[in-house]
Amino acid sequence: ETGVTQSPTHLIKTRGQQVTLRCSSQSGHNTVSWYQQALGQGPQFIFQYYREEENGRGNFPPRFSGLQFPNYSSELNVNALELDDSALYLCASTSDIRGRPTEAFFGQGTRLTVV
Amino acid sequence: AQKITQTQPGMFVQEKEAVTLDCTYDTSDPSYGLFWYKQPSSGEMIFLIYQGSYDQQNATEGRYSLNFQKARKSANLVISASQLGDSAMYFCAMREAGQTGANNLFFGTGTRLTVIP
């Protein structure tokens, strides 16, 4: 196991609703990234948090937002859910943000279904 | 241009045989890392192996080795002595050191490996 935990594991929401997904990063890791993986695709980078601030964002609209807490855990919030938001949402933690790229450890993901 | 290209949507290998999964990448950043992840049907992304752009030797982790050809911008994964439990999706990914500080991973579209008994 990687030590990265996500909750909940599965979720069903109605179009237009809001959702919050949670991630607890691996001990000692100060950077958390979120990815969206649509069915049959590779994960797509949503955004990254370092020291409680967003530090990079992929091609996702502002209704995707996040938080990082002092203990490095993180939340992903999605407002005004759309059917296309149905996907596996993965959280990854790494130990550093500068210098050599380091390995990222992923949680088991949250599978979100929007109906 | 795609940052990561995996041209094999699906691969089959006989149990106990070796298999190579292809990955090519595109970057102008001199400092980058290349990763391979395994994703079983359960969904979790399992880290397999990492190769840094400045690493002199090809990375190896048990039955996994990475055939890193920098000039060709390829980073193929070699799995030796395939096991039935190796059946899964395999993703190649890259992280660039970059200028902004955000070193997110770029993923390919994956290769589905099926190990045949």
Side-chain angles (χ1 to χ4, degrees), chain A residues 34-98:
Chain A
W34 286 90
Y35 294 81
Q36 181 196 65
Q37 186 179 17
L39 197 62
Q41 303 293 319
Q44 299 288 318
F45 174 69
I46 302 175
F47 47 56
Q48 180 174 269
Y49 277 82
Y50 173 65
R51 292 185 177 177
E52 302 177 50
E53 291 190 0
E54 186 180 295
N55 189 29
R57 188 177 186 93
N59 189 25
F60 281 81
R63 60 189 185 84
F64 285 79
S65 63
L67 285 172
Q68 187 181 31
F69 301 99
N71 66 355
Y72 304 136
S73 65
S74 177
E75 288 182 355
L76 163 65
N77 299 292
V78 187
N79 294 322
L81 283 167
E82 301 177 359
L83 296 179
D84 285 349
D85 295 334
S86 296
L88 180 68
Y89 288 85
L90 294 162
C91 165
S93 74
T94 54
S95 62
D96 201 357
I97 197 168
R98 293 182 175 82

Side-chain angles (χ1 to χ4, degrees), chain B residues 4-77:
Chain B
I4 294 288
T5 302
Q6 294 181 255
T7 58
Q8 306 156 315
M11 290 283 286
F12 292 88
V13 63
Q14 204 75 36
E15 193 178 6
K16 300 180 184 177
E17 296 292 312
V19 63
T20 298
L21 306 184
D22 295 340
C23 173
T24 57
Y25 61 92
D26 183 33
T27 181
S28 57
D29 194 325
S31 179
Y32 54 89
L34 296 158
F35 304 76
W36 277 92
Y37 287 88
K38 172 184 177 181
Q39 188 177 45
S41 56
S42 59
E44 61 183 308
M45 199 71 78
I46 301 169
F47 167 77
L48 295 178
I49 196 166
Y50 164 81
Q51 179 86 43
S53 59
Y54 294 119
D55 292 342
Q56 295 297 314
Q57 294 188 326
N58 287 348
T60 60
E61 291 285 350
R63 295 187 298 112
Y64 305 107
S65 60
L66 202 151
N67 184 3
F68 181 47
Q69 299 189 42
K70 198 169 182 176
R72 291 186 170 185
K73 292 190 174 180
S74 75
N76 298 339
L77 176 70

